[in-house]
Amino acid sequence: MWSELNQPQEELILRGRVLLPAQRDRIVKSLREKSSFKIIDHMVILSDPAQLGRTTLNWGKAGQEIVGVRRKKGSGELATQLIPEDNPFRILIRDGKQYLIQLDDLTLGWVYEDEVVLLGPSLENPWEGIRRPGKGELIEVAPGDLNKLINTALKYVETTPYLRGGRSRQGLDCSGLIQVAFKNALDLVLPKHALDQMKLGQRVTQFEGCTGDLVFAKVIGRNIVHVGLLLTNGEKKVIHSCLSKGKVLAESPEGFLKNYKPVGYRRLIKKVR
Amino acid sequence: MEMVVSCPECDENLIIPVDAEEEEIIDCENCGVEIEIVSLDPLEIRIFEEEEK
């Protein structure tokens, strides 16, 4: 990032690149507090998909069955995973043999160059047409789609282990299960993190919560947000990937409440006839 | 009746839903920060900061 002082106009023009909008906001706020100049912000935000034309070095896909996307460069800690069926990701930064990439769900993370296949920088925007539910929005689905969502999630019950950052057959974490179920059943792309999923759709109360709604809960005694899918047709269940049980399970509300304290319910989809 | 307080992050109006529950997490419409409702009577809110998993 660099700045340019336009003295006669008393303007401070900011140029350069930052990764996140929050970083830009912090810089602008700090300069506003320290300077009387008018701040003109021309910074490029690498992670902003609206600017992908000028911030994408290249597009790529997983080059092997499962690719771990790491939270930090060179670390083993998974942010998420890539599989070959995923939509292309875009490369924001190359650093040695690693790339900082952004997936279609807007997750950021690092991969090694030999784990991926490059598709070329001038690929026509492969994210065009991706459906991402927004805040306050309800996506209309056919009645059969709700069953499809539940059945997709149920396929992982008792068969798939918990894996932090996982969203593949190797393992799923709580938000990974929700993401995979909505993508495979309804072709909707949700963010990877539970707190980001909580910003979507419409708030409902626990009494209104019904099949297909998401329940967000804190792990008891910890400030960690967990997410599960509600099933209220017949026997009530919460389908979730549980760290303490080490797998995906469909649990009774009573069982769920032994380990989790609900902090919110969200509805993302609406059945239409 | 819904309550309106100032967001501790951006100072904009933050609406506490009429059927909100203690420990519920809502987010500020203006700045997007997550707010935890610590108690309803008296109303106490705080910014929710998730710990490292």
Side-chain angles (χ1 to χ4, degrees):
Chain A
M1 202 271 296
W2 72 93
S3 59
E4 192 178 293
L5 194 57
N6 188 352
Q7 191 77 46
Q9 306 291 325
E10 299 204 325
E11 288 175 344
L12 189 61
I13 303 166
L14 306 178
R15 300 189 195 280
R17 302 182 311 167
V18 289
L19 183 59
L20 303 167
Q23 292 168 329
R24 185 265 323 265
D25 295 345
R26 273 202 298 273
I27 291 167
V28 171
K29 189 179 172 198
S30 160
L31 287 170
R32 283 213 172 106
E33 284 166 2
K34 290 173 188 161
S35 151
S36 59
F37 287 113
K38 186 180 174 191
I39 309 288
I40 311 285
D41 171 23
H42 287 316
M43 280 186 283
V44 172
I45 299 168
L46 288 177
S47 64
D48 180 2
Q51 303 184 14
L52 60 79
R54 52 182 180 154
T55 56
T56 305
L57 295 181
N58 209 329
W59 292 91
K61 281 188 89 80
Q64 53 197 52
E65 205 181 339
I66 299 167
V67 174
V69 181
R70 296 155 188 90
R71 291 178 71 175
K72 292 177 186 162
K73 191 173 161 239
S75 82
E77 205 181 339
L78 284 183
T80 185
Q81 292 179 312
L82 284 171
I83 56 172
E85 294 75 28
D86 285 336
N87 286 317
F89 60 80
R90 65 190 191 107
I91 297 175
L92 305 180
I93 293 173
R94 181 190 178 126
D95 190 348
K97 290 182 184 301
Q98 294 184 58
Y99 298 126
L100 175 65
I101 65 165
Q102 185 176 44
L103 281 69
D104 62 351
D105 63 7
L106 309 184
T107 300
L108 299 168
W110 292 88
V111 293
Y112 288 98
E113 63 177 8
D114 58 2
E115 298 172 324
V116 300
V117 176
L118 299 183
L119 302 172
S122 52
L123 201 64
E124 200 172 323
N125 181 6
W127 291 358
E128 191 78 50
I130 286 179
R131 291 201 303 165
R132 299 185 180 98
K135 186 176 173 60
E137 189 184 356
L138 287 180
I139 304 266
E140 293 187 344
V141 298
D145 286 345
L146 197 53
N147 291 337
K148 206 168 152 191
L149 173 68
I150 296 300
N151 289 334
T152 305
L154 284 172
K155 272 198 304 195
Y156 300 100
V157 170
E158 302 290 341
T159 62
T160 309
Y162 178 92
L163 175 67
R164 191 175 154 204
R167 53 177 288 271
S168 71
R169 57 170 186 77
Q170 200 177 53
L172 295 162
D173 63 9
C174 62
S175 54
L177 169 68
I178 302 303
Q179 200 185 39
V180 166
F182 274 81
K183 177 76 177 80
N184 293 352
L186 308 174
D187 202 24
L188 293 176
V189 175
L190 269 54
K192 177 64 184 71
H193 199 283
L195 262 182
D196 293 327
Q197 293 177 354
M198 198 173 172
K199 291 183 187 295
L200 309 176
Q202 292 186 357
R203 173 184 175 272
V204 290
T205 66
Q206 63 166 315
F207 305 105
E208 295 164 332
C210 63
T211 296
D213 290 345
L214 300 179
V215 52
F216 294 87
K218 277 203 296 192
V219 179
I220 287 177
R222 299 194 65 186
N223 262 11
I224 291 176
V225 173
H226 182 71
V227 59
L229 184 65
L230 284 181
L231 179 57
T232 58
N233 302 349
E235 205 182 351
K236 287 186 180 176
K237 297 279 184 193
V238 180
I239 307 167
H240 65 125
S241 186
C242 178
L243 170 62
S244 62
K245 306 261 170 68
K247 60 184 174 185
V248 177
L249 65 161
E251 204 171 21
S252 68
E254 296 75 26
F256 184 77
L257 292 172
K258 283 181 188 162
N259 295 308
Y260 301 99
K261 164 72 187 169
V263 295
Y265 296 79
R266 297 289 182 274
R267 180 165 300 155
L268 273 56
I269 52 176
K270 177 172 78 170
K271 271 192 295 187
V272 288
R273 306 214 173 264
Chain B
M1 199 175 76
E2 61 189 26
M3 290 175 278
V4 181
V5 292
S6 292
C7 169
E9 178 72 13
C10 68
D11 280 338
E12 287 295 315
N13 283 349
L14 175 73
I15 297 169
I16 309 293
V18 67
D19 49 7
E21 294 187 21
E22 289 189 354
E23 294 191 60
E24 184 171 345
I25 296 172
I26 56 173
D27 52 77
C28 172
E29 296 282 338
N30 183 55
C31 66
V33 75
E34 287 88 16
I35 307 286
E36 183 174 18
I37 301 168
V38 180
S39 82
L40 284 165
D41 190 16
L43 181 64
E44 189 188 341
I45 59 169
R46 67 178 167 213
I47 294 174
F48 177 77
E49 285 177 23
E50 191 171 34
E51 64 184 85
E52 282 285 311
K53 288 184 185 174

